[in-house]
Amino acid sequence: MNAHVADTHEHHGPEKGLMRWITTTNHKDIGSLYLWFSLIMFLIGGVMALIIRAELFQPGLQFVDPQFFNSMTTMHALIMIFGALMPAFVGLANWMIPMMIGAPDMALPRMNNWSFWILPFAGTLLVATLFVEGGAPASGWTMYPPLVLQTGAAFPMLIFSVHLLGFSSIMGSINIIATIMNLRAPGMTYMKMPLFVWTWFITAYLLIATMPVLAGAVTMLLTDKYFATSFFDAAGGGDPVMFQHIFWFFGHPEVYILILPAFGIVSQIIPTFARKPLFGYSSMVYATASIAFLSFIVWAHHMFTVGMPVAAELFFMMATMLIAVPTGVKVFNWVSTMWRGSMTFETPMLFAIGFVMMFTIGGFSGLMMAMTPIDFQYHDTYFIVAHFHYVLVPGAIFSVMAAVYYWLPKWTGNMYDESLGKFHFWISTIFVNILFFPQHFVGLAGMPRRIPDYSVQFTDFNMISTVGAFGFGLSQLLFVYIIIKTVRGGEKATDQVWEGAEGLEWTLSSPPEYHTFTVQPDVK
Amino acid sequence: MNKLIQIAVGMMGAAFTSGAYAAWETNLTKGVTDISHEVYDLHMLVLYVCIAIGVLVFGAMIYSMIYHRKSKGHKAATFHESTKAEIAWTIVPVFILVALAIPAAKALIKMEDSSNADLTILVTGYQWKWQYEYPEEGISFFSNLASDSREASARDSGIDPATVDNYLLEVDNPLVIPVGKKVRFLFTSNDVNHGWWVPDFAVKKDAIPGFINDMWANVNEPGIYRGQCAELCGKDHGFMPIVVIAKEESEYNEWVEQQLASAKETEAAANKTWDMASLMEQGEKVYTTSCVACHQAGGQGIPGVFPAITGSAIATGDVAGHLDTIMNGRPGTAMQAFAGQLNDADVAAVTTYQRNGLGNSVGDMVQPSDVKALR
């Protein structure tokens, strides 16, 4: 290639108008598409959560019928997991992985376009179930048979939507692995990769290993309903519990798919604002890999009450408790990174610290429910609801917000409004605790999950929780406002953006060129 | 806007101060069995361990956030690893976990040993009620949500749930067990997965169609113990509570005698010929316990989910087809086979009621003997 050709290539910018977004193969464009999609689904799923909390404000049925309530809990979970959180992390991976490893783009740019553009169709199909005969799926996002087989016209739409979401995730993961393995800049050895890249590398393997398992499980549901098979029907020689085993063999690694990238984000942000290198880089990598490995051998802790041999219950209890060890290592390492640093508390750091504290609270309740005999009391109560919302909302979602505040100035070239950002953090943190902390109490006091109406002794804490939910939900409108305001303009960001930031992405201009690292940097 | 805030504040104020709502229970129940006490102690143990670790970790973070900040002029240290510290905080948690796992394993092994039981009760989950069978005594009955709770829970019922005794936690026929005996529960289901949970016994087990699970309880104190279905089982998952009355052995034996006597009366009722009025009266009762959850109070059903009775081709058509649907159910749908759940008189009554009530007026009657002939 001669110099002239290379030069014209440099100035090749995006197409204009809508076609830019439909035909794009650029990792930055696709990253943005993923993130906008995620934000929209987050708001849709959030509205469903508010419908749930409004109904639970007081005992008795005020706003919705039980069947629709069950549809709301089911759809809220599916949309938040597959529509909001996973695409948010894939969007961040698209934007940041090439920029962090010094690559010009993702390794498979056309497939990248496809893996995004499947999503709006899958999401639409899923949301459209709300309008078909029999209503949206109402059997819980876990889709346990035989109950799920009672779903009406929504059933095949649900299955096909899960298949599409799976295709998208698998293609996205293949792309991430191919990019990380092949497109690292010279000198960027594996043990020099930023931790966000490492955690995504491992997450991508988890996705490839587990999404086909989910696809197989839901396909068996489909044939059980329409093609007279009996995989999960005892009357035909099948086993309804087998579905739960297969589902959670996917489902538990899925939990780590939703949290490992969050670990990566926090491991980028804390060193920046502590102005001190990440403590125990290699033990962080090993801990991530250990968590990923353990995630494959603990699935049955989601179903301790299903009736298993004592030996199996003991094995799954102990394997689950073991996860506390590598997770503890991570928390200790983050605290040690902060220790004797020179900290400032800009919005990304606030969200990252909020993540560490509240994720740890979720981790503690996780350790409690790992213990089988007491899990019999916690199982399917609001204690569980509190647990997984602590790890997913002030856990995973806070990490996404931290990442957006951290990299938005890089992406747009504009600084966000720092006081508004801090205000967003504080109201989110206060309300998220008002929302979820009381759920520990009602759960322990005996309130089952997935019920539209409850006995009057649970009223007080449910009211508090609903107040928190509306506060938290409305706070997120501020987040949307801050993002739009920053995209449209604002104080210009420097290339370095944050004083203590290190890594290849900060060597690029803010905003970066449409094509970056067409010549790969040398990493010392 | 101001008015809205006033209403909201008023509602919350009223709710928080009203006596009926004043329950700030924040912890797990200790329960009334030796096992439930053990489970409670384990729960408190692991809770204290978590709080201790939390105090250390959060303490270090908060100290660091106060003293190691740039605005205080703190200069960043440069250390980024310490093999000793990292080994320590890998090994020490392992010891803590082992210390927790040992008592947990002991408790679990005890909980799962349901051998040498004094009494066995078969619990079958249905959408949305429980059936209790005492195979040795020959007792069998269904346990439905109490009707005052069901009425109050309807949307726009206008009934304040706080005025209903044990709202959503009361049933028509409670389970009765003796105290001081090892009672073994067998669990299965007639349709979808359910979960039988009584917190005071620390017993929660899934009821799964085609499989039988077991668990046991030896209750120390007489009393009324309440629980709920724990596994999502469809529309009325939140409306199939569990009530267990634990009685002294002599009172329990009396209760068994009563049950056997009333079973004989029911049998006698099935052998006589009923008039229209008593069929309709009994039919309405059966309808409100067995049919109303799906087909709704007015017989209108839920479009797209549960078909209407009013004007339905089955309920206004040939009586044989109507009886077949009620007795044998519709495989592949939520319509259950009621032949095993209702006695001859109840099937006859509810069929007559559906044909001549709920807006239908076919005019014919079904007698218990007609039902008996089909069995």
Side-chain angles (χ1 to χ4, degrees):
Chain A
M1 193 190 291
N2 65 39
H4 179 71
V5 174
D7 193 44
T8 50
H9 196 75
E10 281 295 304
H11 294 289
H12 165 75
E15 273 195 67
K16 295 280 176 269
L18 187 64
M19 286 313 281
R20 165 180 174 184
W21 300 103
I22 292 174
T23 61
T24 184
T25 55
N26 181 287
H27 75 101
K28 301 182 184 75
D29 283 355
I30 293 172
S32 300
L33 285 171
Y34 266 111
L35 289 168
W36 283 115
F37 176 80
S38 157
L39 186 61
I40 292 165
M41 294 306 262
F42 177 61
L43 297 176
I44 296 175
V47 168
M48 291 175 173
L50 293 184
I51 293 172
I52 293 169
R53 284 307 331 165
E55 182 53 63
L56 292 174
F57 182 69
Q58 50 182 346
L61 295 174
Q62 289 82 34
F63 304 107
V64 296
D65 290 320
Q67 181 77 16
F68 187 74
F69 181 91
N70 290 346
S71 290
M72 286 295 102
T73 55
T74 305
M75 296 289 283
H76 163 71
L78 287 168
I79 286 175
M80 285 301 197
I81 293 168
F82 292 104
L85 263 177
M86 290 170 71
F89 285 129
V90 182
L92 292 170
N94 259 288
W95 254 105
M96 299 318 301
I97 287 176
M99 282 162 54
M100 285 178 143
I101 63 172
D105 205 307
M106 295 295 279
L108 307 161
R110 289 193 181 87
M111 193 164 86
N112 205 12
N113 174 290
W114 196 24
S115 50
F116 171 75
W117 276 108
I118 286 177
L119 276 186
F121 293 94
T124 309
L125 195 60
L126 190 59
V127 175
T129 59
L130 283 166
F131 307 103
V132 301
E133 192 171 313
S139 58
W141 81 282
T142 49
M143 300 179 280
Y144 284 180
L147 182 62
V148 72
L149 301 174
Q150 294 179 357
T151 309
F155 184 76
M157 297 166 76
L158 167 69
I159 305 290
F160 189 46
S161 173
V162 169
H163 278 149
L164 288 178
L165 293 161
F167 287 149
S168 166
S169 293
I170 292 169
M171 288 193 290
S173 304
I174 291 173
N175 211 345
I176 286 167
I177 291 174
T179 306
I180 294 172
M181 285 186 137
N182 298 301
L183 297 188
R184 277 170 292 126
M188 174 68 80
T189 59
Y190 279 110
M191 291 308 276
K192 278 187 190 167
M193 293 194 311
L195 219 63
F196 178 69
V197 180
W198 252 118
T199 52
W200 242 117
F201 191 45
I202 292 168
T203 303
Y205 277 103
L206 291 181
L207 274 166
I208 289 180
T210 59
M211 291 309 289
V213 177
L214 176 66
V218 298
T219 307
M220 285 189 268
L221 287 178
L222 193 74
T223 62
D224 265 14
K225 185 157 170 86
Y226 294 117
F227 302 104
T229 57
S230 309
F231 290 110
F232 309 126
D233 177 8
D239 180 353
V241 178
M242 185 173 74
F243 178 86
Q244 299 186 24
H245 283 290
I246 302 173
F247 181 87
W248 287 112
F249 186 81
F250 145 80
H252 198 77
E254 170 70 20
V255 172
Y256 294 111
I257 288 163
L258 298 173
I259 205 70
L260 293 185
F263 289 169
I265 291 164
V266 169
S267 303
Q268 300 299 131
I269 292 174
I270 290 180
T272 297
F273 296 95
R275 294 170 179 73
K276 193 162 150 279
L278 182 68
F279 186 88
Y281 172 92
S282 39
S283 66
M284 283 296 214
V285 173
Y286 299 138
T288 310
S290 315
I291 293 172
F293 168 75
L294 288 171
S295 78
F296 283 105
I297 57 165
V298 297
W299 74 87
H301 68 218
H302 293 270
M303 37 190 283
F304 276 142
T305 63
V306 90
M308 278 180 284
V310 185
E313 287 179 331
L314 288 173
F315 168 78
F316 285 110
M317 172 177 88
M318 289 170 191
T320 305
M321 291 172 81
L322 262 189
I323 295 181
V325 175
T327 314
V329 167
K330 287 192 159 284
V331 173
F332 298 140
N333 283 356
W334 290 321
V335 176
S336 307
T337 307
M338 291 164 66
W339 190 255
R340 292 179 57 208
S342 175
M343 276 187 276
T344 52
F345 300 92
E346 288 86 345
T347 311
M349 182 64 161
L350 290 176
F351 273 101
I353 292 172
F355 169 92
V356 175
M357 285 202 161
M358 288 180 273
F359 172 79
T360 304
I361 293 174
F364 285 143
S365 53
L367 175 65
M368 294 171 77
M369 58 193 57
M371 296 168 66
T372 318
I374 36 179
D375 180 71
F376 290 150
Q377 292 283 44
Y378 307 145
H379 180 80
D380 270 332
T381 67
Y382 261 84
F383 192 71
I384 304 283
V385 176
H387 159 73
F388 66 72
H389 280 98
Y390 258 91
V391 292
L392 289 177
V393 183
I397 288 177
F398 267 34
S399 82
V400 173
M401 289 173 178
V404 168
Y405 283 112
Y406 186 53
W407 284 309
L408 198 58
K410 172 58 63 185
W411 300 335
T412 62
N414 305 321
M415 284 306 288
Y416 60 86
D417 184 329
E418 190 62 63
S419 351
L420 274 184
K422 282 183 176 163
F423 182 62
H424 173 228
F425 166 78
W426 283 110
I427 54 175
S428 294
T429 301
I430 290 166
F431 282 121
V432 88
N433 284 292
I434 296 175
L435 165 54
F436 293 120
F437 210 82
Q439 296 186 358
H440 290 113
F441 300 142
V442 280
L444 291 174
M447 180 166 161
R449 62 190 284 209
R450 292 167 163 172
I451 57 172
D453 191 4
Y454 50 83
S455 187
V456 290
Q457 74 263 32
F458 305 128
T459 309
D460 297 318
F461 285 126
N462 272 293
M463 284 187 164
I464 296 171
S465 189
T466 297
V467 170
F470 277 85
F472 182 76
L474 293 175
S475 307
Q476 302 326 309
L477 297 179
L478 181 61
F479 183 50
V480 176
Y481 171 74
I482 294 170
I483 293 172
I484 292 173
K485 189 173 167 223
T486 312
V487 170
R488 292 168 70 102
E491 191 195 325
K492 293 291 156 231
T494 60
D495 293 353
Q496 175 64 26
V497 185
W498 310 110
E499 187 190 28
E502 284 185 28
L504 289 174
E505 76 262 38
W506 309 107
T507 64
L508 297 167
S509 59
S510 298
E513 301 286 319
Y514 195 56
H515 293 290
T516 47
F517 292 129
T518 43
V519 178
Q520 290 201 299
D522 251 323
V523 179
K524 295 287 175 309
Chain B
M1 189 66 199
N2 267 339
K3 190 151 188 229
L4 267 178
I5 294 170
Q6 270 178 11
I7 292 171
V9 170
M11 270 168 77
M12 286 175 61
F16 291 146
T17 50
S18 117
Y21 286 162
W24 295 91
E25 189 55 62
T26 55
N27 204 359
L28 197 61
T29 173
K30 275 200 177 102
V32 291
T33 66
D34 293 348
I35 288 285
S36 74
H37 290 164
E38 207 169 316
V39 165
Y40 175 82
D41 291 341
L42 268 173
H43 160 76
M44 293 313 290
L45 171 70
V46 63
L47 181 63
Y48 288 133
V49 168
C50 287
I51 290 172
I53 299 171
V55 167
L56 287 178
V57 173
F58 296 151
M61 277 180 83
I62 291 166
Y63 178 90
S64 174
M65 282 190 280
I66 292 171
Y67 292 101
H68 304 151
R69 48 168 71 211
K70 197 184 174 196
S71 58
K72 291 216 162 180
H74 194 273
K75 294 274 175 291
T78 53
F79 68 88
H80 57 86
E81 60 185 355
S82 157
T83 313
K84 269 185 204 154
E86 287 173 68
I87 288 176
W89 65 49
T90 310
I91 301 290
V92 173
V94 171
F95 284 114
I96 296 173
L97 292 177
V98 170
L100 289 172
I102 290 171
K106 280 186 182 158
L108 181 65
I109 289 166
K110 261 189 258 174
M111 291 171 101
E112 294 287 352
D113 177 15
S114 56
S115 60
N116 298 320
D118 300 313
L119 172 66
T120 298
I121 295 172
L122 176 61
V123 179
T124 309
Y126 288 73
Q127 286 175 316
W128 294 275
K129 57 185 167 256
W130 297 98
Q131 183 185 20
Y132 299 116
E133 290 171 90
Y134 298 63
E136 287 146 48
E137 286 77 7
I139 298 172
S140 166
F141 58 90
F142 284 85
S143 185
N144 295 281
L145 177 65
S147 54
D148 54 349
S149 284
R150 187 177 296 286
E151 281 158 27
S153 75
R155 249 172 97 182
D156 309 319
S157 67
I159 304 169
D160 180 359
T163 62
V164 177
D165 282 344
N166 298 306
Y167 179 62
L168 297 187
L169 292 178
E170 191 63 271
V171 297
D172 52 358
N173 302 309
L175 177 65
V176 177
I177 59 170
V179 296
K181 298 275 181 193
K182 184 168 181 177
V183 181
R184 178 180 184 229
F185 301 104
L186 302 177
F187 302 103
T188 189
S189 166
N190 183 58
D191 37 53
V192 301
N193 297 350
H194 300 270
W196 198 83
W197 178 33
V198 178
D200 281 317
F201 302 168
V203 169
K204 183 187 284 148
K205 206 71 159 185
D206 292 355
I208 294 163
F211 291 81
I212 293 179
N213 278 326
D214 68 350
M215 198 108 176
W216 63 276
N218 192 336
V219 180
N220 295 328
E221 301 159 33
I224 301 174
Y225 305 107
R226 299 173 196 278
Q228 285 181 269
C229 179
E231 182 66 54
L232 178 63
C233 58
K235 182 175 80 68
D236 280 0
H237 163 56
F239 304 90
M240 50 182 291
I242 294 149
V243 179
V244 183
I245 302 182
K247 295 186 176 199
E248 295 291 353
E249 196 176 358
S250 55
E251 292 173 42
Y252 167 76
N253 289 335
E254 272 171 40
W255 175 84
V256 169
E257 292 307 319
Q258 279 169 10
Q259 292 296 306
L260 294 174
S262 75
K264 283 217 177 77
E265 276 173 38
T266 315
E267 215 179 301
N271 289 329
K272 65 169 185 148
T273 303
W274 292 49
D275 61 25
M276 189 67 163
S278 39
L279 279 172
M280 289 294 281
E281 191 193 334
Q282 177 66 13
E284 189 175 358
K285 272 188 209 154
V286 178
Y287 186 84
T288 42
T289 51
S290 295
C291 315
V292 76
C294 296
H295 297 295
Q296 306 295 301
Q300 74 275 24
I302 298 178
V305 188
F306 303 116
I309 302 288
T310 310
S312 103
I314 295 169
T316 58
D318 179 31
V319 72
H322 191 181
L323 273 171
D324 178 57
T325 308
I326 291 177
M327 293 178 71
N328 302 319
R330 281 294 174 97
T333 71
M335 180 63 196
Q336 303 164 4
F338 283 89
Q341 300 183 37
L342 301 175
N343 61 44
D344 295 347
D346 285 348
V347 173
V350 80
T351 310
T352 308
Y353 177 72
Q354 290 186 358
R355 298 176 79 75
N356 301 294
L358 303 168
N360 295 334
S361 50
V362 182
D364 55 359
M365 273 193 286
V366 180
Q367 288 298 334
S369 54
D370 302 336
V371 178
K372 197 169 189 178
L374 292 171
R375 293 219 187 234

